[in-house]
Amino acid sequence: METIMALLLFTPQRIGGAGFEGARLNYRVMTSDGPKLVDAAFPGLGVGLEYKGRAYHSIEASGRDDRRQNRLVGAGMTILNVWYEDLADERHLDALVHDIARALGVRLRCRRKDYEMQRRLLHHRLLPSIRQFAGE
């Protein structure tokens, strides 16, 4: 799912992605507990994205993950959580893109005339991959 997240967010707009640049996947951040990996990070801007699979709905896993996130925040990272629904539902995906842009302090560029068509096409191509993870 982290790969699908990366494709939707970091692929150039001309082929339907959000077009965010400068992200590094599985970025290592040194915390008070030692190094932690962030699913995707914009190192120079101190913003990270963490995909939360459906396994994170249990209280134990959620608590463990929240403590891990606290360590990342303590190390100076702003962490945005990305859920399955944020990727699968186009309205949620649009909201996520706007949240990321605000966190990065960037304006969303004017999109090409065919952007909406390309975005839907990319999303549709990835949907079979997303559906297989529905039972995570």
Side-chain angles (χ1 to χ4, degrees):
M1 285 305 295
E2 290 89 350
T3 302
I4 291 170
M5 177 181 76
L7 287 169
L8 291 170
L9 297 175
F10 310 137
T11 298
Q13 287 185 0
R14 65 182 160 72
I15 53 176
F20 290 110
E21 297 176 348
R24 295 193 42 203
L25 302 178
N26 298 314
Y27 182 72
R28 184 182 299 249
V29 175
M30 188 54 71
T31 72
S32 59
D33 271 357
K36 306 283 184 219
L37 294 178
V38 177
D39 292 333
F42 298 86
L45 301 171
V47 175
L49 306 175
E50 283 288 299
Y51 177 75
K52 305 285 191 161
R54 292 183 185 247
Y56 287 95
H57 288 279
S58 76
I59 291 174
E60 296 82 17
S62 182
R64 184 175 53 248
D65 201 54
D66 286 349
R67 286 186 291 281
R68 181 181 174 283
Q69 183 169 328
N70 289 345
R71 299 296 185 279
L72 291 167
V73 170
M77 293 291 293
T78 297
I79 299 295
L80 298 175
N81 295 308
V82 179
W83 295 87
Y84 168 82
E85 292 80 9
D86 295 327
L87 303 177
D89 183 284
E90 290 185 39
R91 290 171 304 173
H92 289 304
L93 182 58
D94 286 341
L96 174 64
V97 167
H98 283 87
D99 290 342
I100 293 169
R102 277 192 296 275
L104 295 173
V106 300
R107 283 181 32 161
L108 294 175
R109 289 187 246 143
C110 292
R111 295 180 172 151
R112 301 161 43 110
K113 288 182 182 181
D114 66 343
Y115 174 72
E116 286 301 318
M117 180 185 68
Q118 293 295 337
R119 183 180 65 91
R120 284 195 172 98
L121 184 59
L122 178 63
H123 199 263
H124 178 73
R125 286 178 178 161
L126 295 173
L127 277 174
S129 296
I130 290 174
R131 285 191 186 115
Q132 72 179 324
F133 290 101
E136 284 183 303

